[in-house]
């Protein structure tokens, strides 16, 4: 009763592309924000240490959001977490584009971190699900050969 996955079926599936593109967009934008946050802050006239603190705000919010989203991942649909992450990223970008004060830019970097924290736990769950589906469609001898390489003991 297990479903054998084929590449064509996976690559033509909305269930693959929608979460993958959401994760790619949010994580890519977060990387761009982290890379440009300090130079942008310095360009706006903030001291270099204060501008570097913006990255710390991003990191703290991302860490807290990952813990919260990991907790929520068992209680709400993964789609809800992905949509929340996308909405938070849009809010962070809108605030970042219009902000000139340090507090507003710190808030936008924190919101961007929270967006990343919302989408990353769903990525881990999707990878585990994909690995389980892949394992169910592979020959038994191959699965027993690669399992030790995939599972840390």
């Amino acid at each position: 009763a297990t479903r054998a996955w084929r590449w064509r079926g996976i690559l033509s599936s909305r269930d693959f592309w929608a979460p993958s593109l959401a994760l790619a967009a949010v994580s890519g934008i977060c990387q761009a924000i982290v890379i440009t946050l300090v130079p942008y802050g310095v360009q706006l006239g903030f001291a270099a240490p204060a501008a570097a603190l913006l990255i710390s705000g991003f990191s703290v919010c991302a860490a807290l959001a990952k813990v919260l989203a990991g907790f929520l991942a068992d209680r709400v649909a993964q789609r809800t977490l992905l949509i929340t992450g996308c909405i938070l990223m849009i809010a962070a970008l809108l605030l970042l584009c219009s902000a000139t004060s340090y507090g507003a830019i710190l808030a936008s970097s924190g919101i961007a971190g929270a967006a990343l924290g919302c989408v990353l736990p769903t990525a881990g769950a999707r990878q585990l699900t994909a690995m389980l589906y892949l394992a169910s469609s592979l020959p038994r001898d191959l699965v027993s050969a690669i399992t030790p390489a995939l599972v840390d003991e």
Side-chain angles (χ1 to χ4, degrees):
T2 59
R3 182 175 173 184
W5 286 93
R6 303 279 184 240
W7 283 109
R8 182 181 180 125
I10 292 170
L11 294 177
S12 64
S13 171
R14 180 179 51 152
D15 292 337
F16 170 77
W17 285 109
S20 297
L21 291 175
L23 174 66
V26 170
S27 63
I29 292 168
C30 282
Q31 293 304 313
I33 287 174
V34 167
I35 291 169
T36 59
L37 209 49
V38 174
Y40 182 61
V42 169
Q43 182 182 2
L44 289 177
F46 307 137
L53 190 62
L54 295 170
I55 295 175
S56 297
F58 172 92
S59 300
V60 167
C61 288
L64 293 174
K66 284 176 198 172
V67 172
L68 180 61
F71 174 76
L72 290 174
D74 295 332
R75 290 161 179 76
V76 299
Q78 289 182 3
R79 172 185 278 183
T80 303
L81 290 174
L82 284 171
I83 291 170
T84 301
C86 290
I87 291 170
L88 286 171
M89 182 52 68
I90 291 168
L93 290 174
L94 289 173
L95 183 57
L96 186 62
C97 288
S98 62
T100 55
S101 70
Y102 184 80
I105 294 175
L106 181 61
S108 69
S109 66
I111 294 169
L116 182 64
C118 283
V119 299
L120 283 182
T122 62
R126 289 201 173 276
Q127 288 171 347
L128 179 61
T129 303
M131 198 167 58
L132 292 174
Y133 277 124
L134 179 64
S136 69
S137 64
L138 291 175
R140 184 168 291 177
D141 295 337
L142 183 59
V143 172
S144 62
I146 64 172
T147 300
L150 297 175
V151 179
D152 293 332
E153 293 186 73

